[in-house]
Structures are given as C-alpha cells and as structure tokens.
Amino acid sequence: MSAISTPPLAVVEENIPNDNRRSRRTTKIRGVRASFWVYAGLAVVVISAIFPFYWSFLIGSGDSSTINDPNMSWLPGGNFVSNALAVMNDPAVNFWPALWNSIWSSAVIAASVVFFSTLAGWAFAKLRFPGGKWLLAFVVATMAVPMQLGVVPLYLLFSDLGWTGQIGAIIIPALTSAFGVFWMTQYLQQTVPDELIEAARVDGASMIRTFWTVGVTAARPAAAMLFLFTFVGAWNQFFWPFIVLDRQNPTLPVALSLLQSNYFVDYSIVLAGVLLATIPLLILFAFTGRQLVSGIMAGAVKG
Amino acid sequence: MTSTATRPAASGPAHRPATERQPRVLSFSQKLSRWDLKVSPYLYISPFFILFAITGLFPIVYTAVISFQEWDLIRNSGTFIGFDQYIWILSQADFWTALRNTFSIFLLSSVPQLILAIFIAAMLDRNIRAKTFWRMSVLLPYVMAPVAVALIFSNMFGDNHGLVNNFLTSIGLNPIAWHKDPFWSHIAIATMVNFRWTGYNALILLAAMQAVPRDYYEAATVDGAGPFRQFWSITLPSLKPTLIFVIITATIGGLQIFDEPRMFDTFGRGGAANQWLTITLYLYNIGWGEFNFGRAAALAWILFIIILAIGLINLLVTRRLVRDEGGRGVVRPRRRRKGAQQ
C-alpha cells in the first residue's frame, strides 16, 4: 500500500528478455574494461549494504554490555542462540504467531493480487469494451491515493465488524492492487499477439477458457515477479498493521516494534529479533534476488 | 463466441430478398457466447473495482465526512462542526513542525540518494564481471523491513554509546546529539531511508542507462570526449525521464514516512520536542494516541492535498523537461533504432 514498496509503476516500454539484452550488450560492449576503481567503488557500496546485517548479528550475538563497550570486538559473540531464544520465548512479542501470520497473510495477499491483477490486466490489455480506457486511467489514478487517507474509516469499519486484532483486517484491503493491474496490463499488451486470442476463439473457446489457456500461460513470468514484489511489500508493511492489530496477534514488523517498546531496551535481544525476522526474507532473496533485479530493471522507464 | 463466428449469422440474411427475411434466431449457445463477449471484460475487472470501492473509495469519502465532525468514541458517531477540525490542525505549531520535518527528511533522503544511485548505476553499467552478483548485493537492503532497518540504525545512532558516536569520539570529534537536535535526527532517519532505497533506485537508473545506445558513446569517444564529459552530456540527459519518475515516487513515499521516525526512539512520538515528528506520525498520535478521529481525518485530507499539489507540480515540471529532451533528439533516435531491430 505504500506507494514505493512496489517496482516502478512506470511505462514498461519494452520487455526485452534477459538473454536478448545481454546479447545486445556483449555485441556492443563499451571498449574499456572496468577499472580497479569501479570494483573498489562497488565493494564499498556492497559493504555498506551488508554492514547493518552484520551489525545486528554482532550486537545480537553479544550481551547487553556489548553495546556500551567502547572497545567492543568486531567478532560476533556466542550469545546469538540464547538471545534468539529470548525473543522467541518473550510472551510480549509472540514471535511464532507473528512469523506464521506474516507468512500466510503475505502469501494470501500476493496470490490474490496476482490472480485479480492478471484477470483485470487481461481484460484491459486484450479485450475491447466500452469505457475500458477510462477505467484503466482510473485504476492508475488510484495509485496516488495515500494509505493515510483511508485509515480512520477503515479502522472504524473493522472495529464495527469486530475485526480489529484479526489478520483479516490487513488482508482484505490488500487483496487487489492498482499497481498490479497496471503491471499486468502492460505486460500482456506486449507479449500476447491478438492472433492467438482470435485463434482460440475461432476454435470455440469461451472467454474464460481463452483467459485460462492463453492469458494465464502468457502472464506467468510477470505473475511471478508481481508475486515476489507483493510478498515483500506485504511482509514489510507496518503502518496499517500497527494500527489495526494488537499485541496478541501481530505480524513480524509489529512484533519487532513491541521489542523496543519495553521499558528497558536490551539491544542485544532487539537486534537478535531483527535478524530473526529478516532471515525468512533473506532466504527468499537468496533464491529469487535475480528475478527481483530483473523485475525492477524491466519495469523501469527507459529513456 | 467470437465476433468472427457471429458475423455469418448477421450478414447471412442480408443477401436474401428483403421479403424473405427471417427473424434472426440465435441458438442458446450463441446467445450465451454473445453475452459472454459483452459481459466478461467487466466481470474480469470487477474484483478490483468492488474491492477498491469498499477499501478505497468509501474510506476516502468517509474520511472527508468525518473530518467535518467532532467524533464521539463512545457513541461511535459524530456531530457536524464544519471546518473547525481543519482550522484546529492548521493552528497547531505541531502541524507546522511536522510539515517542516517531513520535507526536511524527504530532501535529506532523496537528494543524496539519487546522486548516489546515479553513481552506483554508472558503475554497474560499466563492463564488469559477475554482474548479477553486484546487482543482487546492491538490492539486498530492499528486502529488510523498514521497522528492522529503523531498529538497527537507531542503535547505531545512539546518543551515548552508539557506533557512530563512538567512532566520532575515537577520531577526536564531538559526539552528535542524534536524538536531540532536529537536523541530526533528520540525518539519521534519512540514512535509514537511503540504506533501503538507494540500491533499488540504482537498478532503475541502470535499466535506463542500458537503453542508451552505445553508438553515442562511440561517437563521443571519436569526437574526443572523455568519460566524465560523456557522463554529463550523454548519460545524464538520457536519464531525465527516469529521474523524474524516481523523484515523483520518492516524493509520494517520502511525504508518507512513518515507520522510521516511529521507531527512532522507544517512545515513538517523534521526539521530546517533536524533533522528528512527521505528518503521518502526527496523524497516528492524534488518531490513536488521543483517539480524536475527526482531527485525524482532517489531517489525512490535508496530507492528501499536499501530495496532490506536489504531484501536480512534479507533473508540470516533468512535461517541460521531457519535451525539452525530445527536442534535443536524445530520445527519438533510440526509438527509431528499436523499431528497426524488430
């Protein structure tokens, strides 16, 4: 729901498959090979990207005195497991329910966004119907609406329904995404030739069958990207869950915020918790980082 | 069914003499498929619009309604009081502090972030080995939750024994009051934003850089332009539309900033003297600290109007700049070239 938690919502001018782009690059490489300084510069960037992760491990594996020690060691201590256990067993934090809530709510949100976006994107990209262009423009316009504009009534609505504290209250508003619809529309417009649809229809396929056989098949790569970005976005969401969920039934970011709201803050516990809550996404990133990178690069505005 | 399949049924009778024209009878399946053709598109887009109506449109309108009311929590209804809530918000010193802080944090994060992102993108755009490795490493911070980032950096920016202050004192400088001085607290919060988003923006800019035809650089090299000159005269102008896009998204996101300032200290109220109170944090404090929904709703609308205003300004600027660019002929040749490839 945060406007920037999704890949660029700009005009996807082209979707050059990766290998295609690579071949264009290799045939026209800029003559000079990257110098030592380029690698040095990149190394600095990467170190500063990794350092906070290491720092949370460093503090999270020490004890409460580590942080106050000016001559602290740069090697991790041996307390990570006990700190992690302290987080997991802290009754105020509800770590395991939070982990489970984050996993299933993010998965449901991502699956739902992918499904509805593919459906709507298919209609906008490939079916002609009166008012289609205007409706698509409306969808894009809704992306400018900030989450804050809706929180008060949504909160009142969900508390009327008795849903405050329920994960449903964070899932329902996130089931569709304007960005997703736009992303799918762009992708399907470029990848599916109209002849393919006509052929399916001539063969007597109904609209929904055409969608399933032609649309869904063609949308798969874009759907995978959209799933990943929506999942990461939903996982990291904080503002609305923080308002509507309570301490007993949090998601991971809400649980993390509770770690710090204790009267006495033990940073070795807090940062062990931060790392614990980040590990699932680090695992996801290890397997899909490549796709995330190409998703961002495919969605960008190009010159 | 399809438009092509129904055509014979429609045009068939036309060839016969008018007197013999039979009433057009469609079989049930034909009727069904025509209905299918007409209704399906609306059916497919309806989930988005139905859900948006419930969780988007209704709240926006209702926020406006509530913003004109004095909301009673016990009765759970309000009494109409006109623009009083808006006047109240605009007369609060806190609001103006929050506005100043929001813009300050936004500028401190987006400007250095974009400059850095351009240079990172330029490095990634060079002919380097292990491209995927570098790109993935740069994107790594993006997967970390803003709350988690905020907790780590709040720790590093600790006033007494934080990593940064320890370092500053060890090289003989004075420690900085990260949690007291507004400017330095904004720097600390902006650093959290920059950590998470610089690599992401670098990849967007990298994509734009790769779309610049290599011929330009070859021609420039032939003309004797050095790498620095090439960067200024070819790369940067070609990035303009992308830069504008990144600026717009950063603005929308930056004006809504909440997670980082909320987690910057243990109290989460924006500092003892509102040093890092932002508009959304202020909205939260009014709505869920004081449970004054009428005022929170009014503030939400004020925020929306600010975002719209900035968005419009951005749009106008964008139009001008993009047109300039087309005139200089930086964009168009590439399009032609792409067309030729296909």
Side-chain angles (χ1 to χ4, degrees):
Chain A
M1 266 171 279
S2 143
I4 45 175
S5 62
T6 40
L9 34 98
V11 194
V12 186
E13 259 189 18
E14 48 183 338
N15 264 301
I16 315 168
N18 247 349
D19 46 353
N20 188 354
R21 180 182 291 152
R22 195 164 296 149
S23 74
R24 196 176 67 175
R25 295 264 301 154
T26 41
T27 47
K28 297 198 173 188
I29 313 172
R30 226 181 290 170
V32 211
R33 277 214 149 263
S35 70
F36 165 78
W37 292 109
V38 171
Y39 289 104
L42 283 174
V44 170
V45 173
V46 171
I47 288 169
S48 45
I50 292 171
F51 181 74
F53 291 90
Y54 183 71
W55 178 256
S56 45
F57 182 56
L58 199 65
I59 301 294
S61 63
D63 54 43
S64 53
S65 69
T66 316
I67 182 69
N68 295 328
D69 181 3
N71 304 315
M72 57 172 283
S73 155
W74 284 94
L75 293 173
N79 293 335
F80 184 74
V81 174
S82 64
N83 288 338
L85 284 174
V87 173
M88 290 172 185
N89 298 326
D90 187 341
V93 172
N94 287 305
F95 181 81
W96 293 111
L99 177 66
W100 173 238
N101 281 336
S102 278
I103 292 175
W104 80 264
S105 67
S106 304
V108 168
I109 289 171
S112 159
V113 164
V114 165
F115 177 71
F116 289 133
S117 299
T118 313
L119 203 59
W122 175 252
F124 281 127
K126 287 297 156 187
L127 310 179
R128 256 155 238 99
F129 55 101
K133 274 185 184 159
W134 288 104
L135 289 170
L136 181 62
F138 179 79
V139 171
V140 174
T142 64
M143 287 193 282
V145 179
M147 172 73 204
Q148 288 82 342
L149 201 50
V151 283
V152 171
L154 274 184
Y155 181 79
L156 293 172
L157 178 72
F158 283 119
S159 63
D160 272 354
L161 292 170
W163 280 25
T164 46
Q166 306 289 316
I167 297 298
I170 62 163
I171 294 180
I172 300 289
L175 283 178
T176 58
S177 121
F179 166 78
V181 173
F182 184 67
W183 169 267
M184 275 300 179
T185 306
Q186 292 284 323
Y187 184 82
L188 288 170
Q189 225 154 32
Q190 285 152 10
T191 42
V192 182
D194 287 338
E195 292 80 11
L196 202 60
I197 303 166
E198 274 159 32
R201 299 240 198 101
V202 169
D203 288 349
S206 65
M207 298 291 277
I208 192 72
R209 193 147 170 206
T210 319
F211 167 71
W212 277 118
T213 48
V214 182
V216 172
T217 315
R220 250 181 230 159
M225 305 270 203
L226 185 60
F227 186 93
L228 278 177
F229 281 106
T230 315
F231 190 91
V232 174
W235 184 283
N236 291 334
Q237 204 58 238
F238 180 60
F239 181 58
W240 173 240
F242 183 64
I243 287 174
V244 82
L245 298 180
D246 55 35
R247 283 159 174 264
Q248 278 69 50
N249 197 26
T251 56
L252 276 178
V254 177
L256 281 183
S257 75
L258 297 177
L259 268 179
Q260 200 190 229
S261 66
N262 293 335
Y263 194 70
F264 169 73
V265 182
D266 182 348
Y267 268 107
S268 55
I269 306 273
V270 173
L271 291 193
V274 164
L275 206 57
L276 271 188
T278 310
I279 286 171
L281 276 199
L282 286 180
I283 295 170
L284 181 78
F285 185 76
F287 288 105
T288 63
R290 199 181 283 258
Q291 278 75 23
L292 281 168
V293 168
S294 52
I296 290 172
M297 299 208 15
V301 196
K302 283 162 206 151
Chain B
M1 219 191 300
T2 68
S3 49
T4 39
T6 45
R7 222 168 275 141
S11 59
H15 296 296
R16 294 179 195 156
T19 44
E20 278 181 44
R21 172 178 260 168
Q22 294 168 342
R24 213 169 58 191
V25 182
L26 293 174
S27 73
F28 176 68
S29 73
Q30 270 174 318
K31 268 186 198 161
L32 199 67
S33 73
R34 295 190 127 211
W35 185 82
D36 186 16
L37 186 68
K38 270 193 184 157
V39 176
S40 288
Y42 295 105
L43 217 58
Y44 297 172
I45 61 170
S46 59
F48 174 84
F49 284 93
I50 291 169
L51 264 156
F52 179 73
I54 300 170
T55 62
L57 208 56
F58 155 75
I60 294 170
V61 176
Y62 203 47
T63 305
V65 174
I66 295 173
S67 72
F68 294 114
Q69 297 182 339
E70 177 82 58
W71 193 264
D72 186 332
L73 268 182
I74 297 156
R75 279 187 297 124
N76 213 16
S77 65
T79 24
F80 182 82
I81 53 164
F83 279 94
D84 287 9
Q85 305 289 27
Y86 289 88
I87 295 165
W88 186 87
I89 297 273
L90 294 175
S91 65
Q92 295 301 300
D94 288 2
F95 168 76
W96 297 102
T97 312
L99 192 65
R100 178 203 70 186
N101 293 347
T102 307
F103 274 96
S104 163
I105 293 172
F106 160 64
L107 286 176
L108 285 173
S109 56
S110 57
V111 175
Q113 184 185 128
L114 277 181
I115 295 172
L116 259 176
I118 291 175
F119 282 104
I120 295 172
M123 289 192 287
L124 289 170
D125 194 37
R126 301 304 289 269
N127 181 24
I128 48 171
R129 288 172 199 279
K131 285 191 179 71
T132 316
F133 164 78
W134 294 111
R135 288 177 188 174
M136 274 178 67
S137 315
V138 161
L139 188 65
L140 184 63
Y142 168 73
V143 299
M144 195 176 239
V147 172
V149 175
L151 286 171
I152 298 174
F153 280 81
S154 308
N155 174 268
M156 295 201 284
F157 286 110
D159 284 1
N160 296 324
H161 296 288
L163 171 72
V164 183
N165 276 352
N166 279 349
F167 172 74
L168 289 177
T169 45
S170 76
I171 58 169
L173 294 172
N174 287 328
I176 288 168
W178 299 105
H179 289 77
K180 293 193 184 72
D181 186 81
F183 175 74
W184 290 113
S185 71
H186 298 178
I187 295 273
I189 290 169
T191 308
M192 305 174 192
V193 180
N194 292 339
F195 168 71
R196 191 155 183 268
W197 290 107
T198 305
Y200 181 92
N201 284 327
L203 288 178
I204 294 179
L205 292 167
L206 172 64
M209 280 182 192
Q210 301 212 321
V212 182
R214 303 287 137 172
D215 323 11
Y216 288 0
Y217 295 104
E218 281 161 27
T221 311
V222 172
D223 290 348
F228 198 69
R229 180 68 207 266
Q230 290 185 12
F231 181 76
W232 274 107
S233 307
I234 302 174
T235 312
L236 269 187
S238 321
L239 289 183
K240 244 185 211 171
T242 314
L243 277 176
I244 288 158
F245 163 76
V246 173
I247 291 169
I248 291 176
T249 45
T251 316
I252 294 175
L255 295 179
Q256 299 178 42
I257 190 168
F258 173 79
D259 304 9
E260 293 87 350
R262 166 80 205 179
M263 302 309 299
F264 189 49
D265 71 358
T266 45
F267 307 105
R269 294 189 55 91
N274 294 335
Q275 296 96 319
W276 62 91
L277 181 76
T278 61
I279 296 184
T280 306
L281 189 51
Y282 188 40
L283 189 153
Y284 177 84
N285 290 346
I286 292 175
W288 286 270
E290 299 163 16
F291 282 96
N292 194 324
F293 287 139
R295 285 172 185 170
L299 182 54
W301 261 95
I302 293 173
L303 174 64
F304 183 46
I305 291 165
I306 295 172
I307 291 180
L308 277 187
I310 305 273
L312 271 178
I313 294 170
N314 274 332
L315 197 72
L316 293 176
V317 174
T318 311
R319 281 218 175 133
R320 276 192 72 151
L321 290 177
V322 171
R323 216 175 277 145
D324 277 351
E325 172 134 345
R328 253 182 263 141
V330 179
V331 175
R332 281 189 194 130
R334 189 178 69 78
R335 293 233 168 90
R336 237 181 283 134
R337 183 172 160 274
K338 205 194 301 162
Q341 265 185 343
Q342 278 157 359

